[in-house]
Amino acid sequence: MSEHGPHTTDDGRTYLFDDPKNVDRFVNGFYVVCVVLVILDFVVHRHISHRWENLWAFHALYGFGACWMLVVIAKQMRRVLMRDEDYYDGD
Amino acid sequence: MGIELLRHPFVIFLVGALLVAVTRGNLRKALLLLTPVIGGINILGLEAGTTVEFAFLDYTLIPLRVDRLSLLFGYLFHLAALIGNIFALHLRDEDNARVQHTAALLYAGSALGAVFAGDMITLFVFWELLALTSVFLIWARKTERSIKAGFRYLVIHVLSGVILLAGTLLRAHQVGSLEFGDIGLDGSLAGWLILLAFGIKAAFPLLHNWLTDAYPEGTATGTVFLSAFTTKVAVYALARSYAGTEILIYVGAVMTCFPIFYAVIENDLRRVLGYSMINQIGFMVCGIGIGTALAVNGAVAHAFSDVIFKGLLFMCMGSVLHMTGRMNGSDLGGLYKSMPITTVLCIVGAASISAFPLFSGFVSKSMVMAAVLQEGHVWVWPALLFASAGVFHHAGIKIPYFTFFAHDAGIRTTEPPGNMLVAMFIGAGLCITIGSRPSLLYGILPYVTDYTPYDVTHVLTQTQLLWFGALAFIGLQKTGIYPPELRSVNIDAEWTYRWMAPRLVRGIGGAVARVDSAVRGAVIGTVQRVMHSATRSHGPHGILARTWPTGSMVLWVAVLLAAYLVFYF
């Protein structure tokens, strides 16, 4: 497989997310959607298929908690599992 | 039978592969496109219920069996072969183009041969062919790592085939049939052996490491094929033979959960996709384990979606590898600046695997989730929901974020060649089409279904789950808790055969050598001592081997004679 090297390192142009303001705009827009999604939980009558779903905004809380826990645990796993990149080389 | 066998999907791919092997240039490119297209037209004309069978010794072999389940996978594999071939169309001689193209067509053909097999012997033949043909897509990378990884891949898959054959023969002896149908676990060894063989190819926990070992070592285009066929043939085989086998529900749940932890800390982004693939197969295995019409529909529908969106993600990463030569999250970033189209296509793949409404994963995975609750598995459902949030985290966000955004690694390149873009556009188009018009997919599922994925509750809850998962990502990034991408290897089940086993063998070998040399030393010492004492008594100067002078003999004879005379008188 021909795997080309990077062509140039910088072209001096400014791109969308080079401006921190645009990053902030993006993230703020994201927060707004989060708030809307939680408010919708008051408005929409959800079907309940699992008793945990009776909890207000259950899926939002679960999604947030699951991802946070996933990363925190995975990070701790590195202490046990991580080795040098060439760990298996030479075998 | 002869004419009908010519319409066997494998035969078309075999002929295509043979022609591709002896042609070059535009003719070869045309053949690469025509083979899956002709195959596709052929398969559209195959009707459910068609079988081709012939007697072999006391058994019946069925090389072609067409029903709704095999047709679904047949359509899917033709589609995957076409997309993969378009993606690889630019390959040149220095890329081992001839080998890669031929291997890819034979590999796709073997997958088709396996899903249309009606008996276990035919399945076994294609099962082994899958391994023998696909390994060239790894070896064609021509690096030392890829060669070694290819050998490990081959050994494990050939082993899976041998176990399958053992189970098949045992089963034939017990039930007197070679039929590739419902097998299940009835407590017989044969049932377990066949499940083990399927499980190796389906990347069951602890048997999974061949996938994350070999797929990242394949060529940029080859891994796209690898991701489409092997594991999906295994899913098909499980759906055909082990639907409703309860243990699979739990095996599937474990498969959805454990790989995502690895995916979070893995640096090689194609290996991240490998772990993510095991996670997705977990949903399918779980659905098969539940075994109801809705669950099995969900499992195979998700296999269909997965081949397309995982293929798309592997194509995006393949494009990045092709253009930059890099694949580690720690070396990439900021590529949206020079590869904006690839970025958007990757985000479509990411949204599909994450099961965002309007994308393909949403309409297929939700059937499995619904079936889990319908059958009252209230503790499996939270595990799958956890895995659903997790897949968004590592595949939906991590892959696009660290490749195309994050910190700018300073790489300035261009979009990949046109054929790669076309293949990715087709993949992305299918993801959105299936997601927004699910009836197209539902219409070809094995069981008739009236399932509706789009209702207000489902759309809202799924969006909440994913959006707040993303919120956690932003929070973890802003607080600096998110682990950085590091050049590293994470120990997994492969440690047992890549690290421990060689050392164990060397250790045992060393101990045996030490005992051996001690025993040999003791024996040789004893022999030497015996030799020494023998030499001392019987050697040239030994007392018992001394040569006596003739004179002294005459003297002694004279003395004896004199003594005799004295006594005589």
Side-chain angles (χ1 to χ4, degrees), chain A residues 2-4 7-9 17-18 34 37-38 41 47 50 60 62 75 78 81 83 85 87-89 91, chain B residues 92 95 141 145 322 324-325 336-337 378 382 410 412 457 464 468 481 484 487 489 491 495 498-499:
Chain A
S2 62
E3 287 155 13
H4 306 184
H7 291 197
T8 55
T9 49
F17 293 117
D18 284 342
C34 284
L37 283 171
V38 171
D41 219 63
H47 307 300
H50 190 281
Y62 196 84
K75 196 176 171 181
R78 266 195 172 163
L81 300 176
R83 297 290 184 277
E85 206 175 16
Y87 180 66
Y88 289 120
D89 291 353
D91 282 333
Chain B
R92 293 163 300 181
D95 303 322
R141 184 103 178 265
R145 272 180 189 229
H322 179 69
T324 69
Y336 81 94
K337 297 175 180 178
V378 289
R412 294 295 176 268
T457 299
Q464 283 177 336
F468 278 80
I481 297 173
R487 293 179 155 275
V489 164
I491 292 177
W495 182 83
R498 292 186 66 185
W499 198 93

Side-chain angles (χ1 to χ4, degrees), chain A residues 47-54 58, chain B residues 373 377-379 381-382:
Chain A
H47 307 300
I48 306 296
S49 318
H50 190 281
R51 61 192 165 87
W52 292 5
E53 290 184 304
N54 287 308
F58 165 72
Chain B
L373 281 181
H377 294 284
V378 289
W379 289 106
W381 183 78

Side-chain angles (χ1 to χ4, degrees), chain B residues 44-64:
Chain B
L44 285 174
L46 285 179
E47 281 182 18
T50 309
T51 53
V52 174
E53 51 183 68
F54 59 88
F56 173 74
L57 302 177
D58 288 340
Y59 295 100
T60 308
L61 292 192
I62 311 166
L64 183 67

Side-chain angles (χ1 to χ4, degrees), chain B residues 248-496:
Chain B
L248 292 182
I249 301 172
Y250 309 108
V251 170
V254 173
M255 285 175 80
T256 61
C257 288
F258 93 87
I260 58 181
F261 290 95
Y262 275 93
V264 168
I265 50 175
E266 177 56 51
N267 191 20
D268 184 322
L269 295 179
R270 290 202 297 175
R271 189 164 285 124
V272 172
L273 286 180
Y275 279 114
S276 149
M277 186 167 213
I278 300 170
N279 154 282
Q280 295 298 309
I281 298 166
F283 286 98
M284 301 168 212
V285 171
C286 198
I288 292 166
I290 292 168
T292 59
L294 177 65
V296 173
N297 265 353
V300 297
H302 201 49
F304 198 102
S305 304
D306 182 71
V307 166
I308 309 293
F309 62 61
K310 193 57 60 61
L312 174 58
L313 288 169
F314 270 115
M315 286 194 282
C316 292
M317 291 303 105
S319 303
V320 168
L321 177 64
H322 179 69
M323 297 310 295
T324 69
R326 306 183 191 187
M327 199 68 286
N328 286 335
S330 56
D331 303 337
L332 290 166
L335 280 176
Y336 81 94
K337 297 175 180 178
S338 40
M339 301 174 84
I341 301 174
T342 311
T343 307
V344 172
L345 293 167
C346 185
I347 291 172
V348 171
S352 303
I353 194 173
S354 311
F356 262 100
L358 297 179
F359 294 90
S360 59
F362 181 79
V363 304
S364 52
K365 189 163 73 181
S366 55
M367 297 170 92
V368 176
M369 299 291 281
V372 165
L373 281 181
Q374 247 179 28
E375 297 307 303
H377 294 284
V378 289
W379 289 106
V380 174
W381 183 78
L384 298 193
L385 199 63
F386 171 75
S388 297
V391 68
F392 176 47
H393 207 88
H394 72 260
I397 302 177
K398 176 173 173 165
I399 293 281
Y401 180 74
F402 285 105
T403 313
F404 299 106
F405 303 100
H407 76 286
D408 187 348
I411 306 166
R412 294 295 176 268
T413 178
T414 56
E415 296 286 0
N419 63 301
M420 286 180 141
L421 282 175
V422 168
M424 290 191 284
F425 265 110
I426 296 174
L430 283 168
C431 286
I432 296 170
T433 307
I434 294 170
S436 49
R437 294 279 309 280
S439 56
L440 291 174
L441 176 59
Y442 291 175
I444 53 171
L445 292 178
Y447 300 101
V448 177
T449 179
D450 57 356
Y451 179 76
T452 47
Y454 287 106
D455 64 38
V456 178
T457 299
H458 186 203
V459 171
L460 176 66
T461 53
Q462 181 68 5
T463 314
Q464 283 177 336
L465 182 83
L466 297 177
W467 218 262
F468 278 80
L471 185 67
F473 182 83
I474 293 177
L476 289 160
Q477 283 279 342
K478 283 194 180 280
T479 51
I481 297 173
Y482 198 91
E485 294 294 297
L486 297 174
R487 293 179 155 275
S488 59
V489 164
N490 295 308
I491 292 177
D492 197 347
E494 64 186 344
W495 182 83
T496 51

